[in-house]
Amino acid sequence: MFLDVPMQPILVVDSAQAATDLLEKRSHLYSDRLQLLMPKLMSWDFSMALMPYGADWRAHRKAFHRYFEPNALPAYDDIIRHEISACISRLLDSPENITIHVRQMFASMILQIVYGMKIHSLDDEFIRVVEEALDGANRAGAIGENWVEFLPFLQYIPSWLPGGRTSRLAERYKPFVENMIKGPLQKVRSALNEGVAIPCIANSMLMELQDKVGSSELPLDQERLLRNVTGVAYIGASDTTVSAVTSFLLAMALYPNVQKKAQEELDRVVGTGRLPEPSDWDSLVYIQAVTLETMRWIPAGPLAVPHRLTEDDEYNGYFIPAGTIVIPNAWAMLHDPSDYPEPGTFKPERFIKDGRIDPNVRNPRAFAFGFGRRVCPGEDLGFNAVGLFIATALQVFNISAGVDADSKPQKLSTEVRDGFIIHPITVPTGISPRSDAAERLIREQPASV
Ligand code: HEM
């Protein structure tokens, strides 16, 4: 669908074929991003996800990839397992706070991996700083509300003058964004200066860069790379993973037969005396299918992040002008009945043939994690962590609708809260141990980090 909006043409891509042809095969043309002024004025331009396509973005991707490519991931297994165990332990005690527990689990996981930073609750000072920064991002992204996008001179009107809204917003949110990306890094650096190396990505990257330049003082460009690469991980990882897990919980409560089948597989492969480990993954074919179906059924980012075309192009006889914003409609691709019959039904079986994942069924990861050169660089970490949580939760808990805030039986629906990242509106709270053995196993886990 082409929207001929004056000054800003928009192309919405609904089909897997067109997405592959344009965003994958011609990815050298379709990998730019729309550059807005308001996020830049708030310092959000540190984020690789918003950077224009080019050498600077490439340098950031390359540095990020080193720490998140599949071979780097086993180093984080202990942190992931520990955080999942702590989460199921908290879930046993207060299942009604499920969303908070899941959010804390992923926040703590990624912050430990990146900064060696443990958070003990969502009231942690750093999380509050991030929430403010994200509030700023939402306001900056509301293009229609920010006249500065159409009248750039507005950025020069001081905040104390009428018409100074742009400066007021920038002054309000910029400190939070800068604090978010500089604060934790400062702690890692201070620890290193005191001779205590915190094992984490920020520390490894800092040491490597210091070795490379032969000094503890990094040149500005290296300092910026370090700050940006570490700073973007929490932003990319936190909400997407929570969305996937809440969609999974919803699916389990709505489809008890799927839940039962998954639990049978877990009992057969893992047994009842221990929690699932990453090394069980290859044998847990049904759990793999449940994880894939979760990503397909309610994709966390249904419209990915819009791409931008850098040169005039032509496709199937249609002219597409340079500068067109391309919105990949991943939701439509993941709900296309020709690839996924009965797309609204949660049916992991669609991915299995002869006891294995069927390579002839289109893998939903190809759409759920974005496209071409901009594909999510945290895909493997995100998928693995969500998958291990799914296996662990199903091994020890039965999941049902539970009660709502007024203690009345909860009516579940598949409606989602709108946004760049979507979340189911109703989240099951009926989380109870499957058996006495499961309860004992949970109680053996640490309750907090
Ligand atoms: C279930 C988990 C996740 C989902 C569903 C997800 C989804 C996405 C999607 C749809 C995009 C946009 C791709 C495009 O523009 O075509 C994206 C980009 C990105 N994601 Fe993820 N993501 C997840 C986890 C993570 C994790 C764990 C990290 C970091 C460790 C991360 C970091 C990023 C970054 C940095 C980008 C921007 C890439 C760029 O513009 O070059 N994501 N993700």
Side-chain angles (χ1 to χ4, degrees):
M1 178 170 65
F2 186 76
L3 305 171
D4 198 0
V5 181
M7 295 189 328
Q8 187 48 80
I10 297 174
L11 179 69
V12 183
V13 176
D14 276 356
S15 79
Q17 187 62 53
T20 309
D21 290 346
L22 300 178
L23 300 173
E24 304 281 344
K25 292 189 184 153
R26 298 183 197 174
S27 63
H28 59 294
L29 298 178
Y30 285 85
S31 293
D32 199 16
R33 298 282 199 219
L34 176 66
Q35 295 304 306
L36 294 175
L37 260 174
M38 201 67 236
K40 196 168 181 223
L41 295 169
M42 289 181 187
S43 289
W44 265 106
D45 55 338
F46 85 87
S47 167
M48 190 164 85
L50 305 180
M51 282 181 189
Y53 182 61
D56 192 32
W57 164 80
R58 214 171 284 121
H60 281 75
R61 278 285 296 203
K62 197 170 159 210
F64 191 94
H65 181 72
R66 280 203 52 201
Y67 297 100
F68 291 99
E69 52 105 9
N71 289 331
L73 301 187
Y76 316 133
D77 279 354
D78 282 350
I79 294 176
I80 293 174
R81 282 168 42 209
H82 183 82
E83 285 303 325
I84 291 176
S85 305
C87 180
I88 58 165
S89 187
R90 290 192 293 265
L91 272 172
L92 182 67
D93 292 333
S94 52
E96 68 284 2
N97 293 333
I98 179 142
T99 312
I100 294 175
H101 296 322
V102 170
R103 203 165 270 285
Q104 183 181 335
M105 168 180 66
F106 283 118
S108 206
M109 208 183 265
I110 192 73
L111 291 174
Q112 271 186 76
I113 291 173
V114 177
Y115 298 115
M117 188 170 140
K118 300 187 180 193
I119 61 150
H120 300 280
S121 93
L122 292 181
D123 293 331
D124 188 282
E125 176 60 17
F126 179 73
I127 302 292
R128 291 204 297 112
V129 168
V130 176
E131 293 301 318
E132 283 292 327
L134 285 172
D135 188 36
N138 284 335
R139 298 189 70 175
I143 305 175
E145 285 173 25
N146 296 317
W147 282 91
V148 69
E149 304 302 346
F150 313 101
L151 306 169
F153 69 88
L154 288 175
Q155 66 186 296
Y156 303 114
I157 301 181
S159 54
W160 44 271
L161 276 183
R165 180 177 179 275
T166 301
S167 302
R168 279 195 293 281
L169 280 180
E171 282 169 20
R172 158 130 177 59
Y173 289 106
K174 191 174 169 152
F176 289 105
V177 179
E178 301 213 327
N179 196 349
M180 171 178 81
I181 52 177
K182 289 182 186 162
L185 200 53
Q186 193 48 46
K187 288 191 186 147
V188 173
R189 176 172 268 132
S190 305
L192 191 60
N193 289 345
E194 286 160 20
V196 195
I198 303 172
C200 61
I201 292 177
N203 190 71
S204 308
M205 206 174 157
L206 178 59
M207 283 177 31
E208 271 177 38
L209 290 173
Q210 286 176 340
D211 278 354
K212 197 169 131 195
V213 300
S215 157
S216 60
E217 287 296 310
L218 298 181
L220 273 181
D221 61 331
Q222 302 290 304
E223 184 67 42
R224 180 173 161 267
L225 190 72
L226 168 68
R227 192 195 66 191
N228 294 356
V229 163
T230 48
V232 79
Y234 178 80
I235 298 302
S238 50
D239 215 22
T240 45
T241 46
V242 173
S243 161
V245 160
T246 45
S247 300
F248 150 74
L249 294 165
L250 178 65
M252 292 306 101
L254 289 175
Y255 295 87
N257 287 342
V258 170
Q259 188 175 165
K260 203 159 156 265
K261 253 174 121 169
Q263 289 170 332
E264 280 164 12
E265 180 183 70
L266 284 159
D267 290 348
R268 201 171 59 248
V269 174
V270 181
T272 51
R274 66 174 178 90
L275 296 179
E277 310 251 344
S279 56
D280 295 315
W281 189 248
D282 288 346
S283 315
L284 294 172
V285 175
Y286 196 74
I287 294 287
Q288 289 179 42
V290 169
T291 312
L292 290 172
E293 184 68 340
T294 299
M295 303 282 164
R296 185 201 69 78
W297 189 54
I298 303 185
L303 300 176
V305 179
H307 292 219
R308 183 177 173 277
L309 172 64
T310 40
E311 287 173 26
D312 287 350
D313 194 21
E314 200 188 300
Y315 183 59
N316 287 348
Y318 291 101
F319 172 69
I320 315 173
T324 296
I325 293 302
V326 183
I327 301 179
N329 187 352
W331 179 281
M333 299 172 211
L334 292 165
H335 285 248
D336 182 340
S338 58
D339 279 330
Y340 309 108
E342 297 176 59
T345 308
F346 192 92
K347 205 159 80 175
E349 290 75 12
R350 68 173 87 244
F351 295 110
I352 300 178
K353 192 171 174 202
D354 302 331
R356 290 164 186 273
I357 297 295
D358 183 354
N360 296 318
V361 177
R362 215 188 266 278
N363 190 328
R365 287 176 66 166
F367 309 130
F369 288 93
F371 301 84
R373 295 183 190 185
R374 286 284 186 168
V375 70
C376 174
E379 170 175 349
D380 291 298
L381 178 69
F383 188 80
N384 295 355
V386 169
L388 193 62
F389 176 84
I390 287 177
T392 310
L394 284 174
Q395 202 205 5
V396 292
F397 290 125
N398 283 326
I399 300 163
S400 61
V403 291
D404 62 18
D406 303 323
S407 303
K408 298 212 174 86
Q410 185 171 213
K411 274 208 186 92
L412 295 176
S413 88
T414 52
E415 247 182 282
V416 293
R417 194 158 19 92
D418 262 0
F420 174 61
I421 307 289
I422 56 172
H423 295 265
I425 292 174
T426 51
V427 180
T429 54
I431 314 282
S432 56
R434 281 178 65 200
S435 63
D436 290 347
E439 184 165 350
R440 271 197 304 279
L441 194 55
I442 302 170
R443 295 230 179 263
E444 285 164 15
Q445 307 307 315
S448 66
V449 286

